[in-house]
Amino acid sequence: MKRRTLLALAASTVLLAACGQSNTNEADTTATDTTSTGGSDLLQRINNGGTINVGTEGTYPPFTYHDESGKLTGYDVEVTRAVADKLGVDVEFKETQWDAMLAGLDSKRFDMVANQVSLTTPERQAKYDKSMAYSWSGAVALAPTDDNRYSSWDDLKGLRTAQSLSSNYGELAEKYGAEIVPVDGMAQAIQLVKQNRADFTMNDNLAVLDYLKKFPDSDLEIKLTAPPSEQTGSGLVLIKGNDEVVAKLDEAMAALAADGTLTKLSEEFFGADVSQQK
């Protein structure tokens, strides 16, 4: 569903729901009508300063989690609160497991999802809409600060990279000619790099930034970042049929980008601005 597996591993150690589709035209028509009605209701609530219901995990730091006091927070949560404030509405978060996230959106348990969702497949793009992205991510190479061999991706040829064998980042590293040193996850990969048993490790930018924020004295830094064309944006996700709502969300998100709110929240949770393509 998203960059879920590797990001979840990173959050838990160092520190994504396919839905059925009716086979009948009659059922498809009913689903479209229901979505349209739901969109009108949501738009009315937004126009009248009502409440929007947002699905999120609450167990996925630094995006959505509970702090030491028990308060629900995280980058996605605080961005959503800021959007709601710009719209002049209240927001109620409904916590649910990731595997049930889009199913809950389909059944209208909530109006939208704020949980690092990227609509990267044609199937999802045909069923869901996404607001203007508030976070961007892509592959990065993490290596010791004093290692200056990384001026381009082609420099990875012949170097050792610590990667999970099932990782798409491992496949990307091999594409550039790197030698794979197999590991179980990001935490072990970082340890091998620090022990000079691997030259670098490749992972998701947001996961790596989260690690570096938590461990600023690790003597590691990001050496290479995927170009904008290979980065993926995550935004608030809604069922198709909410065009006017998406337009309002985009307007609010653009205002938050312009006044520096997204940058401020990014730096709070990641130590860097992840709200823009780099």
Side-chain angles (χ1 to χ4, degrees):
M1 175 71 54
K2 59 179 178 178
R3 307 172 297 280
R4 184 66 176 95
T5 303
L6 287 172
L7 280 172
L9 280 171
S12 63
T13 56
V14 298
L15 339 134
L16 198 171
C19 303
Q21 183 176 10
S22 172
N23 293 322
T24 67
N25 292 331
E26 180 179 356
D28 289 342
T29 300
T30 302
T32 302
D33 292 343
T34 301
T35 299
S36 177
T37 301
S40 299
D41 172 65
L42 176 56
L43 180 62
Q44 184 176 11
R45 279 185 276 128
I46 291 176
N47 288 337
N48 294 337
T51 300
I52 58 174
N53 303 299
V54 180
T56 194
E57 276 183 279
T59 57
Y60 185 28
F63 306 102
T64 163
Y65 64 99
H66 290 265
D67 63 17
E68 294 179 356
S69 70
K71 176 188 175 182
L72 180 66
T73 187
Y75 181 63
D76 290 44
V77 171
E78 300 306 333
V79 168
T80 304
R81 286 182 173 138
V83 168
D85 186 59
K86 285 289 185 184
L87 293 174
V89 300
D90 294 323
V91 57
E92 180 178 339
F93 290 98
K94 297 183 179 295
E95 296 179 46
T96 189
Q97 295 180 342
W98 168 251
D99 290 344
M101 192 71 64
L102 293 189
L105 186 59
D106 292 340
S107 63
K108 303 189 188 306
R109 285 188 54 222
F110 25 79
D111 304 309
M112 60 194 76
V113 166
N115 209 90
Q116 281 299 295
V117 181
S118 299
L119 303 181
T120 56
T121 67
E123 293 78 12
R124 297 184 201 121
Q125 293 168 2
K127 190 170 186 178
Y128 305 103
D129 273 331
K130 183 181 68 177
S131 74
M132 170 181 164
Y134 54 81
S135 70
W136 291 89
S137 192
V140 297
L142 181 71
T145 304
D146 59 1
D147 190 341
N148 300 313
R149 293 178 290 177
Y150 304 87
S151 59
S152 74
W153 289 96
D154 290 333
D155 293 330
L156 301 182
K157 185 175 182 179
L159 299 184
R160 301 164 299 165
T161 181
Q163 305 292 160
S164 300
L165 292 178
S166 60
S167 165
N168 57 329
Y169 296 111
E171 295 177 0
L172 182 59
E174 286 186 308
K175 171 186 173 182
Y176 287 103
E179 175 190 341
I180 302 297
V181 179
V183 295
D184 293 329
M186 182 174 171
Q188 184 183 7
I190 289 174
Q191 287 304 311
L192 292 190
V193 173
K194 295 178 72 172
Q195 296 166 2
N196 197 33
R197 296 165 60 192
D199 298 302
F200 72 97
T201 185
M202 193 180 293
N203 211 302
D204 183 89
N205 180 50
L206 298 181
V208 172
L209 285 174
D210 182 42
Y211 169 80
L212 292 175
K213 185 174 185 296
K214 291 177 178 177
F215 301 95
D217 299 324
S218 65
D219 293 325
L220 300 175
E221 67 179 18
I222 293 174
K223 297 293 186 176
L224 298 170
T225 300
S229 61
E230 295 180 10
Q231 295 178 22
T232 304
S234 294
L236 297 172
V237 171
L238 306 82
I239 291 180
K240 287 280 189 182
N242 291 280
D243 293 351
E244 292 181 81
V245 174
V246 173
K248 286 182 175 291
L249 294 174
D250 286 351
E251 183 179 359
M253 203 75 76
L256 294 173
D259 67 17
T261 299
L262 293 184
T263 296
K264 179 180 178 180
L265 290 173
S266 292
E267 292 176 343
E268 176 184 346
F269 289 98
F270 297 98
D273 189 359
V274 303
S275 67
Q276 303 179 49
Q277 285 178 293
K278 300 291 184 179

